[in-house]
């Protein structure tokens, strides 16, 4: 019985580690998306500024 308990406890630890990595990766992905969003907005602002100067 003890062996099964320790095996389950080990599996839970491994799963916990995987979740932590996933959260970190998710956080990095969100930061990358926000950065790209910000760059895209700056690009759109430049386009709008160029449009205004043409007319």
């Amino acid at each position: 019985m003890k062996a099964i308990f320790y095996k389950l406890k080990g599996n839970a630890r491994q799963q916990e580690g995987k979740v932590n990595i996933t959260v970190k990766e998710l956080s990095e992905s969100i930061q990358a998306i926000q950065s790209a969003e910000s760059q895209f907005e700056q690009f759109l602002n430049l386009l709008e500024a160029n449009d205004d100067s043409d007319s």
Side-chain angles (χ1 to χ4, degrees), residues 33-50:
I33 290 167
Q34 287 173 336
S35 171
E37 229 174 5
S38 160
Q39 289 173 356
F40 186 63
E41 277 179 37
Q42 289 173 354
F43 176 68
L44 287 179
N45 289 340
L46 282 175
L47 286 180
E48 285 175 8
N50 284 343

Side-chain angles (χ1 to χ4, degrees), residues 15-33:
Q15 288 299 322
E16 191 179 343
K18 285 180 189 168
V19 171
N20 288 342
I21 290 167
T22 304
V23 170
K24 183 174 184 273
E25 287 171 349
L26 184 61
S27 171
E28 288 170 356
S29 296
I30 290 170
Q31 286 175 342
I33 290 167

